[in-house]
């Protein structure tokens, strides 16, 4: 039996690896010839010791195959050949309507006095925007001031929070119906400050 390792394998392993691989093959019954490229070690059934001795004497003389397999070069330049693209199925075109942007301002716990709130609201009343919707969220005591001063503008008024109850013995809570029936159009719910500072959840 003649056993030959592939050229690809032999060209990518070092001498210790060859010794190990072929040393294992030498223990297989019936293998009488081992080949690395052009060098062949042949005898009657080899013992591992005699195999290694013969291998060391011939290993350095291994030559690569006369016609090694080569890779075909690939051009990195863009191809000038016109390729026909497969036809694509017609896709549904979504409507071109774009949602009107909203600019909202949360006043948080500001300003500190009614007079300051009046100054700010009067300044807003003298301005206008035709490219976006504007919503402001003043603190609760200033909501009705904002509704009165900004009633002739396009600016909408929102509340900074609302409770989960519609009515009952819940001191300090504000029902959503109270806000909407008073002219409030928006409300902030689940704000990060309510969650992290006051421990509110969903």
């Amino acid at each position: 039996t003649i056993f030959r390792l592939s050229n690809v394998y032999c060209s990518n392993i070092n001498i210790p690896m060859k010794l190990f691989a072929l040393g294992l093959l030498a223990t297989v019954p019936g293998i009488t010839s081992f080949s690395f490229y052009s060098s062949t070690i042949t005898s009657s059934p080899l013992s591992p010791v005699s195999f290694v001795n013969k291998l060391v004497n011939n290993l350095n003389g291994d030559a690569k195959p006369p016609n090694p397999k080569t890779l075909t070069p690939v051009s990195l330049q863009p191809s000038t050949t016109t390729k026909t693209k497969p036809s694509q199925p017609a896709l549904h075109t979504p409507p071109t309507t774009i949602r009107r942007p909203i600019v909202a301002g949360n006043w948080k716990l500001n300003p500190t006095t009614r007079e300051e709130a009046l100054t700010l609201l009067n300044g807003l009343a003298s301005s206008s925007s035709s490219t976006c919707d504007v919503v402001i969220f003043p603190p609760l005591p200033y909501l009705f001031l904002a509704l009165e001063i900004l009633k002739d503008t396009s600016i909408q008024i929102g509340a900074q929070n609302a409770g989960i109850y519609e009515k009952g013995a819940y001191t300090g809570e504000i029902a959503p119906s109270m806000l909407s029936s008073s002219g409030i159009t928006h409300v902030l719910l689940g704000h990060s400050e309510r969650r992290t500072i006051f421990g509110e959840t969903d």
Side-chain angles (χ1 to χ4, degrees), residues 15 18-20 22-23 34 36 41 49-60 62:
I15 291 177
K18 289 181 181 180
L19 290 172
F20 176 77
L22 295 185
F34 299 86
F36 278 106
I41 305 171
V49 174
S50 61
F51 166 76
V52 170
N53 289 335
K54 291 180 177 292
L55 179 62
V56 170
N57 293 331
N58 291 272
L59 198 56
N60 292 328
D62 289 349

Side-chain angles (χ1 to χ4, degrees), residues 87-108:
S87 59
Q88 298 293 331
L91 299 178
H92 173 67
T93 303
T96 57
T97 304
I98 299 176
R99 180 177 177 178
R100 185 175 171 86
I102 298 176
V103 175
N106 178 13
W107 291 18
K108 300 180 182 287

Side-chain angles (χ1 to χ4, degrees), residues 164 189-191 195 199-202:
I164 62 175
L189 291 176
H191 194 283
R195 294 173 180 271
E200 294 183 357
T201 66
D202 292 338

Side-chain angles (χ1 to χ4, degrees), residues 5 17 21-23 31 33-34 55 79 92 104 110 122 130 132 139 142 146 157 161-162 175 177 179 181:
L5 296 182
M17 291 173 67
L22 295 185
I31 294 181
S33 177
F34 299 86
L55 179 62
S79 174
H92 173 67
N110 302 291
N122 287 322
S130 59
C132 63
Y142 307 146
I157 314 301
N161 200 12
S177 60
L179 297 171
S181 63

Side-chain angles (χ1 to χ4, degrees), residues 18-53:
K18 289 181 181 180
L19 290 172
F20 176 77
L22 295 185
L24 293 177
L25 292 175
T27 64
V28 179
I31 294 181
T32 59
S33 177
F34 299 86
S35 175
F36 278 106
Y37 301 122
S38 61
S39 297
T40 301
I41 305 171
T42 307
S43 70
S44 56
L46 295 173
S47 69
V49 174
S50 61
F51 166 76
V52 170
N53 289 335

Side-chain angles (χ1 to χ4, degrees), residues 1 3 14 18 29-30 34-35 43-44 46 51 59 63 69 75 106 132 136 140 147 149 151-152 154 159 187 190 200:
T1 302
F3 190 95
N14 54 29
K18 289 181 181 180
F34 299 86
S35 175
S43 70
S44 56
L46 295 173
F51 166 76
L59 198 56
K69 184 177 180 180
S75 174
N106 178 13
C132 63
I136 63 170
L140 180 63
L147 286 170
I149 295 174
K151 63 182 179 181
D152 295 327
S154 60
V187 63
E200 294 183 357

